[in-house]
Amino acid sequence: MQLIECPWCGPREEVEFHYGGQAHVAYPEDPAALDDEQWAHYVFYRDNPKGRFAERWSHAAGCRRWFNAVRDTATYRFESVYHPDQPKPVIP
Amino acid sequence: MAEQLSRTHPLEAWLPAFAELSGAVRISAEPFVPMTVLRADPATAGDVRIRGAALPTAPGSWASAGAGWLIWLGPDEWLLTGPGAAPEALEEELRTLLRPVGGSAADVSAQRIGIRLGGPRARQVLAKGCSIDLHPRVFTPGQSAQTTLGQAGVLLLALGEDEFAVLVRSSFGGYLASWLLDASLEYAAPALTS
Ligand SMILES: [Zn+2]
């Protein structure tokens, strides 16, 4: 089974984690100003790259913290993990 | 006349089986102990002393606080056990300490029960259903882990070289007790170890 590194707890089995979708999706500055289509884009539309992807993960069965990870969607390899308040790494 | 109901331990039915185990693995149910979850920013709560102990900041560690344990749960979250205290009194004591630094305390005494595991084979028993590194050089006294044991989420504490506490949700206690007894069977049955 694959080990995922929690930024706090260290490497743990993947069953301890929950997937949270694409990272760095900012809440709209003025939600009331959005029309339905823009709101739908914010709520439902996500990137779907083949390759490196910045994602949100939660250490659900451990410290229960959210963190971000860059994962390769083709190989499942975790390239890096970082705290949620850190900027999105430059993904080559 | 109204029937008198007395409090029983959730693991009462398993106590006779625990008592039959040999010395290679010992299992016992911890008596009821009040517990409080603490939330605070470690940057502002660094000077707070909880029953003599500072809030541990190393992930996966615990410290003695009076007769109880002060356990790291997250970068801004801890669990305190307070043997002998009344749950409401413990909560109030911690609130008074943490309120000045913007922290909070909440009584969670009813959430978990404790199981004590000891003996030279205790690590092997845990390793059968726990994926963290339990090697004596890695999981040393003073360390803790929130992880899974069998199918149950647990808070695991290394108390000594071969002494562990397993804190588990009360409703999972029976399952975990059965699991631990099954895992201990090969080390604990007198006919097999002689
Ligand atoms: Zn964690």
Side-chain angles (χ1 to χ4, degrees), chain B residues 140-155:
Chain B
T140 53
Q143 292 203 286
S144 66
Q146 298 166 88
T147 183
T148 52
L149 179 59
Q151 299 288 324
V154 296
L155 178 50

Side-chain angles (χ1 to χ4, degrees), chain A residues 6 8-9 59 62-63:
Chain A
C6 168
W8 290 279
C9 306
H59 190 191
C63 64

Side-chain angles (χ1 to χ4, degrees), chain B:
Chain B
M1 214 174 95
E3 198 181 343
Q4 283 286 317
L5 296 174
S6 57
R7 175 187 261 171
T8 59
H9 197 283
L11 295 183
E12 189 131 306
W14 282 265
L15 298 183
F18 290 168
E20 278 177 26
L21 291 172
S22 78
V25 184
R26 299 182 306 272
I27 306 178
S28 57
E30 292 275 293
F32 173 81
V33 59
M35 298 186 203
T36 302
V37 157
L38 319 174
R39 301 296 299 263
D41 182 347
T44 56
D47 294 331
V48 174
R49 292 292 173 273
I50 313 283
R51 303 191 154 195
L55 294 165
T57 51
S61 66
W62 66 273
S64 290
W69 306 315
L70 182 55
I71 310 159
W72 183 94
L73 292 185
D76 58 358
E77 188 176 11
W78 296 266
L79 181 75
L80 177 78
T81 67
E88 314 76 43
L90 186 70
E91 184 187 61
E92 196 49 47
E93 175 191 329
L94 273 306
R95 275 191 187 160
T96 309
L97 279 172
L98 290 173
R99 200 178 283 132
V101 295
S104 67
D107 174 44
V108 292
S109 303
Q111 188 186 6
R112 298 179 177 93
I113 57 166
I115 300 176
R116 185 75 72 112
L117 192 70
R121 295 290 194 179
R123 276 181 203 269
Q124 278 102 318
V125 169
L126 290 173
K128 288 184 185 187
C130 186
S131 64
I132 67 162
D133 192 347
L134 290 167
H135 191 278
R137 277 203 306 269
V138 179
F139 196 61
T140 53
Q143 292 203 286
S144 66
Q146 298 166 88
T147 183
T148 52
L149 179 59
Q151 299 288 324
V154 296
L155 178 50
L156 188 62
L157 268 64
L159 302 175
E161 283 303 325
D162 55 4
E163 187 84 8
F164 303 90
V166 185
L167 301 179
V168 63
R169 285 174 205 275
S170 306
S171 52
F172 283 79
Y175 159 77
L176 197 67
S178 301
W179 187 92
L180 285 168
L181 282 167
D182 182 57
S184 306
L185 196 62
E186 65 170 304
Y187 308 123
L192 295 176
T193 51
S194 62

Side-chain angles (χ1 to χ4, degrees), chain A residues 25 27-28 34 36-46:
Chain A
V25 179
Y27 191 75
L34 267 53
D36 286 354
E37 191 178 327
Q38 289 168 321
W39 184 251
H41 270 272
Y42 163 66
V43 175
F44 300 114
Y45 282 56
R46 295 291 180 266

